[in-house]
Amino acid sequence: MSWQDQMGFPILSVITYLPLAGVLLMLAFGRGRPGVYKLVALVATLAAFVLSVVMLFCFDTEAPGMQFTESFVWIESLNVRYGFGIDGIAALLVFLTTLLGVIVIIASWNYVKDRERGFFISLLLLQVGMTGVFCATDLFLFYIFWEVMLVPMYFIIGIWGGPRKVYAAIKFFLYTLVGSLLMLVAIIAVVLYSRGTAAGLTFDIQALSDIIYPYDLQIWAFLAFFLAFAIKVPMFPLHTWLPDAHVEAPTAGSVILAGVLLKMGGYGMLRFCLPMFPDASLDAVPYVIALSVIAIVYGALVSLRQKDLKKLVAYSSVSHMGFVTAGIFAAIAISDNPQGLEGAILVMFSHGILTGALFLMVGFLYERTHTREIAAMSGLAKPMPVLAAFLMVFTLGSLGLPGLSGFVGEFLSLLGLFHYDYAWGAVAAVGVVLAACYLLWMYQRVLFNDRGDPDIMPRDGLFDVRWREVASLTPLVVMAVWVGVYPDTFLNLLHTPVRELLADVGQTAQERHDSFPGVSELLAFVKGLF
Amino acid sequence: MELIVALIPLLPFAGFVITLLLGKWVLGKRADVIPVLMATASWVLSMYVFVRVVADPEYVFDWNAFTWISSGALETTWGFYIDPLAAIMLLVVGTIGMVVHYYSIGYMKGDEGYYRFFAYLNLFMFAMFILVMANNYLLMFLAWEGVGLCSYLLIGFWFRKKSASQAGKKAFLVNRVGDFGFMLGMLLMFLTFGSLQFTEVFADVGAAGPAALLGICLLLFTGAVGKSAQFPLHVWLPDAMEGPTPVSALIHAATMVNAGVYMVARSYPLYIDSHTAMYVVMGVGTFTAIYAALIALTQNDIKRVIAYSTVSSLGFMFMALGSGAWVAGIFYLLTHGFFKGLLFLGSGAVIHAMSGQQDMRFMGGLRRKLPITYWTMMVGALAMVGIFPFAGFWAKDEIIGFEFTHHLYYIWVVGLITAFITGIYMFRLMFMTFHGQNRSSPGVQEHIHESRPIMTVPLIILAIPAALAGVLAGWPPESGWIHRFLHPVFFDIESEPFGIVAFILLLVSLVIGAAGITVAWYLYLQRPELPGRLAARFPRAYGASLNKFYMDEIYEAAVIRPVIGFAGWLWTFVDTRVIDGAVNGLAWLWGRFGRLLRPLQTGRAQSYALGILVGVVVLIVVFRIVEG
């Protein structure tokens, strides 16, 4: 369905480029007017957010394929088109992006004290890149947005970061670049192959997915794409850039990094790896699931020992994102298992909300205590009860308390994984127990007990949350509760695209079903015991 | 009916939200008004539901309010289910919940977290009502973790005290271990039955293979072991006594800890088809009953004695369910809720009078100064030991008798021994607290006084069912009203007429309980020096009981330390050295490689020209050879 039928104006492009308009406006205003930059950034992101809400309202959850599509010829000789369009999965992530976009602007209001213009321009450009990635239906366009994201983030970490910002920024940049370059090679290979098929030379993602590639090409192209996405997720053992990047990044950078950038990985897997290379994906299932479950448990265990709040949340991301990759690949491994995939997408969404919020709150704590050392804090619930209450909600959501958003996705993802294999499912569930351990332990050490040594803890300045902070946290609480109590709003977006996606991969899946050690064998084994 | 059922949990939830938002700045000392009102209103409504079901025990109410999680074949709802079992739970939760709300007005007076306390209490009521009324396992799990959360918040209510925040965390984490089982049980259940709704699962039990059924039952039971503090996951409950005493009464005696028993009873159609699972339930329950009773014998903290007696009582309930005495188990749950809630509230009054002292070694002789507390607690203690005609007698002796008549003689003997020990430790508590001379400091003694009516009236209110609920619901034994009432739930159970064997069994357990009291009387009133000599005579046995059989130490050494150590190794070695080391090593290697090539970039034209010359010559030679 094109945008003319649905909206009357190309809403996706407008959402994507609104921040760009903000950037131009900021440039037009000239130097040294931080108040104006903030206001412009706020207005631009707020407008994008409102439009994305409108977009969700107009979204048809039953309709197959892409919606709000825009398509123009761009580079004729290569048949590159400027193609935009979203399905339910992308719609959910666009919504998440624009929501967090507003929130980081509010949260950075007083955070950055130097070169404000550059900072807010970077944030807005970043948002253009992220929204574009989710909206692009043309591989060429997708890749451009993918690389556009990288640069502002590099600057945000490298300029406004902490003491080891250069190391962290370069590590982040190189790691991601290695992945994207491999992906670029694979893109070229895939597009070149398309020239010889009925589709003709094309960059259209749907057309490329319809082609059946020879197995050799599938394997290599899958590996290249997968590596790029696995680095973004990040999957074990490609995760070590994440803690460094988070620790050094300013609060806004961490929020966007955890909230949206990591989701690129999961999104890429289900948008490219699965439909384009189904055979290779199926062959990868056991390995991906093994790595995912390792990530879940490993990330949780390592979180347990972190001394730095931001590192703790960073490693917990590694653990939570394991549910995403595990859910995706468990869903394709056996038929009739949409729960894994829908759960994975919901985990992405919920992780964006909750971990985004946790990083925000770590930032707020840092502004007050000037430290992120867990050992240097204690008893903070006394001077800051409201902040403590907010943090409690996000902590509980993150540890998967039912009724908040974390549980729904994790439960579905676990269900999918358990369906695939009991043993992996059970091991992954240990991660849920461990999540409670590291999060509640952290909460206790930071907010409970008596106040620490007054020398480490400056007694003044421990004021409770300000209105601006409440304004940035409240929408996230609302979302966490909404998803937790009535996830149907969001799951409804996912049913149709997930069904289509699984049908794409499903043909092959049917044939291979028996070769996986599944439910029946395990049951037979248990039966044998009695 | 839909509206009423919806309002029962929603009213306390509204109370929670309002009190939490406005409590600190607007309501202040009046923060109790809304929560107490809400609890009272919910009690009225749940009594209405209870009466409605009593009028017609075949009445079943099953209502799906709206969808919760739906994905593929999974359809779960915010749905509610009322039958006699749920009605009994509503009665217990609603009544004790309300009474504790009123009592807390007196007990928590002047606390700086006054509003927070009542907000949490209301949140707990919300979650607990959902738990007993849910019509599917997933919603039950939501409430299950919800009450766990409230328990966490209320145990750690005085969060600045490290032991309190520690105990709250411990409770949550130990419960999480149990919930891990519950969660896997639900996953297996969904894969087996394709549903998590009670009615659909129960209608389909025959379709499941015995292994799957056993798996589901045992995994669910793991959850129950955590929530109902059964061995080996009982360790959190005694520590939970760090919370304010009304919390101990409400959550850790009368309602939340019963959730495990309720869940197993609710899953009756599953368990009844899996005898192995029933044996496990019975075994764990029986062991826990006597194990906790042995610990209770030597504890000196008044609340801890009652806490271990709760663990023991819950063990009794599981013993009953596992051996097939379903109705008696629920009957005991009902009566136990009243008298154990009463005992905790009474001990709260004692602690209040003793200026916060909880150690019984510094109490004594309070009988005259706290008459209402004394006599109401006496009712509770007699009910607990199972003395005629108090509530516990009817339920507990029915359980013990059932074991004998169903040829479970070992269980019967263990049950009797436990009843005997119960008599000793309960009256050890009564005698050490209320009889003899007061052993506290003169400063404390001056302040000993009976509590205000807002605290004593709840005691009297709870003393009435603690005395009478048994005979009202349980006469005649094994075929009383409660048996008829619960028959639609436990449909396969035939109640037996009360005969001469049953009468003799009743007498036996009555005598055993009384013997326990007599021993306590002899040891703690007649020969008060004897217990110390006994302890000195058997130091290992005494030490084991006093130190809770070293369970905390065992967990510390066998689970916590290894996990923490392993995690540390993963971080400092695997993550930092191996993985990140490889990443940085790769970068270093590239750097070295670059440095190796650096001398080539000399910048001198002569050497470049030489390079070109050599290259051309080499190329010519190569081409010659290739073509040649």
Side-chain angles (χ1 to χ4, degrees):
Chain A
M1 267 188 282
S2 75
W3 56 269
Q4 283 102 339
D5 305 334
Q6 275 173 295
M7 292 300 299
F9 70 102
I11 189 164
L12 294 182
S13 285
V14 176
I15 293 175
T16 308
Y17 300 119
L18 257 173
L20 198 61
V23 170
L24 295 178
L25 207 60
M26 274 190 226
L27 290 173
F29 270 109
R31 293 180 182 283
R33 302 175 68 178
V36 175
Y37 307 144
K38 290 174 196 170
L39 207 64
V40 169
L42 183 64
V43 170
T45 50
L46 208 57
F49 172 67
V50 170
L51 279 179
S52 78
V53 173
V54 173
M55 177 270 290
L56 276 188
F57 268 107
C58 301
F59 194 87
D60 181 357
T61 54
E62 304 290 328
M66 293 291 168
Q67 305 191 27
F68 306 108
T69 51
E70 304 164 26
S71 185
F72 310 100
V73 176
W74 183 14
I75 306 173
E76 206 166 359
S77 57
L78 290 174
N79 195 17
V80 172
R81 298 181 75 83
Y82 174 87
F84 262 23
I86 47 169
D87 59 1
I89 303 170
L92 189 62
L93 293 170
V94 167
F95 172 71
L96 175 70
T97 308
T98 54
L99 172 67
L100 289 179
V102 181
I103 282 165
V104 292
I105 300 289
I106 302 176
S108 318
W109 210 255
N110 295 328
Y111 187 86
V112 183
K113 299 278 193 287
D114 63 321
R115 285 169 286 185
E116 289 95 339
R117 187 163 69 157
F119 185 75
F120 285 102
I121 287 180
S122 301
L123 278 183
L124 291 183
L125 284 180
L126 189 58
Q127 183 167 338
V128 175
M130 296 185 303
T131 322
V133 162
F134 292 130
C135 292
T137 55
D138 185 281
L139 201 47
F140 196 90
L141 191 61
F142 166 83
Y143 190 74
I144 288 177
F145 280 119
W146 180 270
E147 293 291 313
V148 162
M149 278 183 332
L150 193 53
V151 181
M153 197 52 171
Y154 171 73
F155 285 128
I156 288 176
I157 300 175
I159 297 177
W160 293 275
R164 291 178 76 217
K165 58 191 177 188
V166 177
Y167 170 76
I170 291 180
K171 194 172 183 179
F172 161 77
F173 194 89
L174 285 184
Y175 233 124
T176 323
L177 197 67
V178 168
S180 5
L181 288 179
L182 285 172
M183 181 164 71
L184 183 62
V185 174
I187 289 176
I188 294 171
V190 166
V191 170
L192 283 180
Y193 183 82
S194 77
R195 198 167 50 172
T197 64
L201 181 71
T202 180
F203 279 87
D204 184 72
I205 295 171
Q206 186 56 48
L208 288 171
S209 305
D210 291 340
I211 298 170
I212 296 167
Y213 300 93
Y215 189 71
D216 295 355
L217 179 62
Q218 277 201 34
I219 285 290
W220 291 108
F222 170 85
L223 281 178
F225 270 96
F226 183 78
L227 201 68
F229 300 136
I231 288 170
K232 270 277 194 265
V233 166
M235 284 183 72
F236 176 89
L238 303 171
H239 63 274
T240 52
W241 63 269
L242 185 76
D244 285 320
H246 270 309
V247 167
E248 301 308 326
T251 302
S254 288
V255 173
I256 293 294
L257 189 59
V260 187
L261 285 194
L262 303 191
K263 276 71 211 181
M264 300 292 170
Y267 178 76
M269 287 179 192
L270 54 88
R271 176 68 79 223
F272 300 101
C273 293
L274 305 190
M276 283 163 62
F277 320 115
D279 296 302
S281 300
L282 281 172
D283 281 347
V285 165
Y287 309 102
V288 178
I289 292 210
L291 284 177
S292 307
V293 176
I294 290 176
I296 291 171
V297 177
Y298 178 90
L301 280 171
V302 174
S303 295
L304 205 53
R305 290 302 294 265
Q306 295 309 308
K307 298 170 176 139
D308 182 302
L309 267 181
K310 262 193 157 176
K311 266 200 166 168
L312 187 145
V313 184
Y315 276 107
S316 85
S317 293
V318 175
S319 177
H320 282 127
M321 294 307 282
F323 285 102
V324 175
T325 44
I328 293 175
F329 280 80
I332 61 165
I334 42 176
S335 58
D336 192 27
N337 192 12
Q339 288 93 2
L341 193 45
E342 294 189 359
I345 300 164
L346 217 56
V347 170
M348 290 203 264
F349 185 68
S350 151
H351 179 265
I353 302 285
L354 295 170
T355 308
L358 284 178
F359 276 122
L360 269 187
M361 301 222 57
V362 174
F364 295 161
L365 281 173
Y366 182 77
E367 286 175 41
R368 289 160 171 77
T369 60
H370 308 291
T371 179
R372 285 191 310 260
E373 282 282 307
I374 295 175
M377 305 183 199
S378 71
L380 294 180
K382 180 77 185 127
M384 323 171 188
V386 182
L387 187 139
F390 273 114
L391 187 55
M392 182 97 259
V393 173
F394 299 126
T395 305
L396 292 172
S398 194
L399 62 80
L401 189 85
L404 295 171
S405 60
F407 173 75
V408 183
E410 275 174 24
F411 179 76
L412 289 176
S413 166
L414 266 181
L415 184 56
L417 187 58
F418 200 70
H419 199 161
Y420 165 71
D421 185 275
Y422 287 5
W424 281 129
V427 177
V430 173
V432 181
V433 178
L434 289 173
C437 296
Y438 64 76
L439 283 167
L440 288 184
W441 193 21
M442 176 275 287
Y443 194 89
Q444 180 197 19
R445 283 179 294 170
V446 172
L447 289 138
F448 291 161
N449 302 344
D450 223 336
R451 291 285 308 279
D453 184 1
D455 290 340
I456 310 172
M457 294 279 313
R459 280 196 178 273
D460 41 347
L462 294 181
F463 46 86
D464 210 340
V465 280
R466 299 279 161 83
W467 282 112
R468 187 176 51 76
E469 293 164 336
V470 173
S472 64
L473 294 173
T474 309
L476 298 174
V477 172
V478 171
M479 289 313 298
V481 174
W482 189 343
V483 179
V485 173
Y486 194 68
D488 232 33
T489 325
F490 306 94
L491 282 169
N492 263 335
L493 287 170
L494 305 179
H495 295 322
T496 311
V498 163
R499 196 166 48 236
E500 284 184 288
L501 184 55
L502 291 180
D504 264 8
V505 195
Q507 296 297 327
T508 340
Q510 274 305 343
E511 293 159 22
R512 288 162 181 255
H513 182 196
D514 297 330
S515 62
F516 289 105
V519 180
S520 47
E521 268 120 289
L522 223 115
L523 269 183
F525 172 72
V526 175
K527 261 179 210 154
L529 294 176
F530 291 91
Chain B
M1 195 68 174
E2 276 85 358
L3 182 68
I4 290 171
V5 167
L7 279 179
I8 290 176
L10 278 183
L11 287 177
F13 187 72
F16 159 70
V17 173
I18 296 170
T19 311
L20 197 69
L21 291 181
L22 303 181
K24 194 176 168 98
W25 295 284
V26 183
L27 299 169
K29 283 184 177 146
R30 301 234 171 275
D32 50 15
V33 178
I34 296 172
V36 168
L37 256 166
M38 295 300 181
T40 314
S42 284
W43 174 73
V44 171
L45 294 176
S46 42
M47 284 311 285
Y48 171 83
V49 173
F50 178 69
V51 170
R52 174 77 185 73
V53 179
V54 168
D56 173 18
E58 300 289 336
Y59 176 75
V60 169
F61 172 86
D62 193 353
W63 171 50
N64 289 315
F66 58 92
T67 309
W68 184 24
I69 302 176
S70 92
S71 167
L74 177 74
E75 281 279 348
T76 55
T77 58
W78 287 83
F80 301 98
Y81 186 79
I82 305 281
D83 68 346
L85 182 58
I88 293 240
M89 294 304 289
L90 276 179
L91 171 73
V92 176
V93 174
T95 310
I96 298 171
M98 179 187 65
V99 170
V100 167
H101 270 78
Y102 282 102
Y103 178 91
S104 303
I105 297 175
Y107 192 87
M108 297 305 290
K109 191 166 177 286
D111 194 284
E112 55 179 333
Y114 196 61
Y115 79 100
R116 205 157 48 88
F117 184 81
F118 278 95
Y120 292 164
L121 273 194
N122 258 219
L123 181 65
F124 173 77
M125 296 302 287
F126 161 74
M128 195 66 210
F129 279 130
I130 298 260
L131 200 160
V132 300
M133 296 196 300
N135 78 347
N136 63 73
Y137 279 97
L138 200 64
L139 185 61
M140 189 192 216
F141 185 71
L142 173 136
W144 182 275
E145 289 240 311
V147 290
L149 164 68
C150 300
S151 164
Y152 163 77
L153 292 171
L154 284 164
I155 295 169
F157 181 75
W158 290 306
F159 58 82
R160 296 215 283 166
K161 208 166 121 198
K162 179 143 191 210
S163 57
S165 73
Q166 199 79 9
K169 186 184 66 184
K170 181 173 176 183
F172 198 101
L173 296 185
V174 173
N175 269 295
R176 256 285 152 122
V177 175
D179 293 356
F180 164 80
F182 194 155
M183 178 106 121
L184 292 184
M186 284 193 299
L187 298 178
L188 188 56
M189 180 187 290
F190 176 72
L191 294 182
T192 312
F193 299 109
S195 174
L196 292 173
Q197 304 286 121
F198 290 148
T199 44
E200 289 172 22
V201 170
F202 299 157
D204 213 21
V205 173
L213 201 59
L214 176 65
I216 293 169
C217 288
L218 289 185
L219 286 168
L220 289 182
F221 183 60
T222 315
V225 165
K227 188 102 327 191
S228 292
Q230 295 298 289
F231 184 87
L233 297 181
H234 63 283
V235 287
W236 64 272
L237 186 61
D239 288 20
M241 298 303 127
E242 288 287 343
T245 307
V247 172
S248 313
L250 177 61
I251 302 184
H252 305 122
T255 54
M256 184 187 84
V257 288
N258 290 335
V261 181
Y262 169 72
M263 190 253 272
V264 171
R266 177 52 84 205
S267 312
Y268 163 81
L270 298 176
Y271 282 89
I272 201 79
D273 273 6
S274 181
H275 287 280
T276 320
M278 297 257 297
Y279 275 120
V280 172
V281 173
M282 179 178 76
V284 170
T286 311
F287 178 75
T288 308
I290 188 162
Y291 167 86
L294 283 172
I295 298 176
L297 264 181
T298 57
Q299 299 301 309
N300 290 317
D301 183 315
I302 183 168
K303 282 179 75 180
R304 280 186 183 249
V305 175
I306 309 180
Y308 277 106
S309 90
T310 305
V311 176
S312 175
S313 297
L314 291 163
F316 249 91
M317 295 178 208
F318 281 115
M319 178 175 106
L321 300 187
S323 54
W326 295 87
V327 178
I330 295 301
F331 185 22
Y332 192 50
L333 184 158
L334 169 72
T335 54
H336 173 262
F338 290 117
F339 63 71
K340 191 54 66 70
L342 169 63
L343 283 172
F344 264 120
L345 292 186
S347 74
V350 169
I351 294 165
H352 224 71
M354 297 294 298
S355 312
Q357 177 61 262
Q358 303 197 5
D359 195 327
M360 295 190 297
R361 284 170 296 186
F362 300 101
M363 294 181 184
L366 297 178
R367 183 172 33 150
R368 271 170 231 97
K369 284 181 175 162
L370 309 175
I372 303 177
T373 309
Y374 173 65
W375 285 109
T376 49
M377 273 189 90
M378 183 56 90
V379 172
L382 287 170
M384 174 79 209
V385 179
I387 298 300
F388 180 86
F390 297 98
F393 166 78
W394 303 93
K396 192 175 186 173
D397 295 352
E398 198 171 309
I399 296 174
I400 298 178
F402 183 95
E403 311 300 341
F404 184 86
T405 51
H406 288 73
H407 315 294
L408 297 159
Y409 300 114
Y410 292 112
I411 307 293
W412 178 67
V413 170
V414 176
L416 282 181
I417 297 173
T418 309
F420 174 67
I421 304 173
T422 306
I424 301 179
Y425 71 69
M426 245 3 269
F427 276 80
R428 170 176 173 265
L429 180 148
M430 291 304 288
F431 294 144
M432 281 179 82
T433 310
F434 290 105
H435 292 252
Q437 293 300 311
N438 194 287
R439 300 175 290 273
S440 61
S441 64
V444 173
Q445 287 200 21
E446 271 176 35
H447 287 98
I448 297 177
H449 60 278
E450 184 64 284
S451 308
R452 294 191 302 144
I454 193 74
M455 287 169 69
T456 49
V457 171
L459 293 180
I460 297 168
I461 291 177
L462 282 185
I464 297 167
L468 299 178
V471 66
L472 288 178
W475 174 263
E478 319 217 354
S479 55
W481 168 82
I482 192 146
H483 286 263
R484 277 174 279 127
F485 183 61
L486 285 175
H487 190 258
V489 182
F490 306 122
F491 44 84
D492 261 358
I493 307 290
E494 293 303 323
S495 49
E496 292 146 36
F498 182 56
I500 183 72
V501 179
F503 182 72
I504 293 171
L505 288 169
L506 271 188
L507 274 185
V508 171
S509 49
L510 183 60
V511 167
I512 293 276
I517 298 176
T518 317
V519 171
W521 169 78
Y522 184 72
L523 285 178
Y524 291 91
L525 288 185
Q526 291 306 107
R527 305 274 306 276
E529 80 287 354
L530 253 186
R533 274 173 42 197
L534 276 174
R537 181 82 190 278
F538 305 104
R540 306 245 327 242
Y542 176 74
S545 166
L546 187 69
N547 293 300
K548 308 157 249 172
F549 294 97
Y550 305 103
M551 274 311 283
D552 282 329
E553 287 76 7
I554 291 171
Y555 275 125
E556 177 81 29
V559 182
I560 299 169
R561 289 239 196 95
V563 168
I564 298 268
F566 179 60
W569 178 78
L570 278 185
W571 179 42
T572 52
F573 183 73
V574 177
D575 210 64
T576 314
R577 292 270 190 80
V578 179
I579 299 177
D580 214 26
V583 174
N584 289 330
L586 201 65
W588 179 83
L589 219 64
W590 273 115
R592 294 295 298 200
F593 185 57
R595 209 174 304 167
L596 228 97
L597 295 179
R598 193 185 292 165
L600 291 178
Q601 310 288 323
T602 54
R604 276 180 305 192
Q606 297 96 314
S607 51
Y608 290 162
L610 184 69
I612 294 170
L613 185 70
V614 171
V616 170
V617 171
V618 168
L619 280 181
I620 290 171
V621 172
V622 169
F623 280 132
R624 282 281 160 201
I625 293 168
V626 172
E627 284 176 11

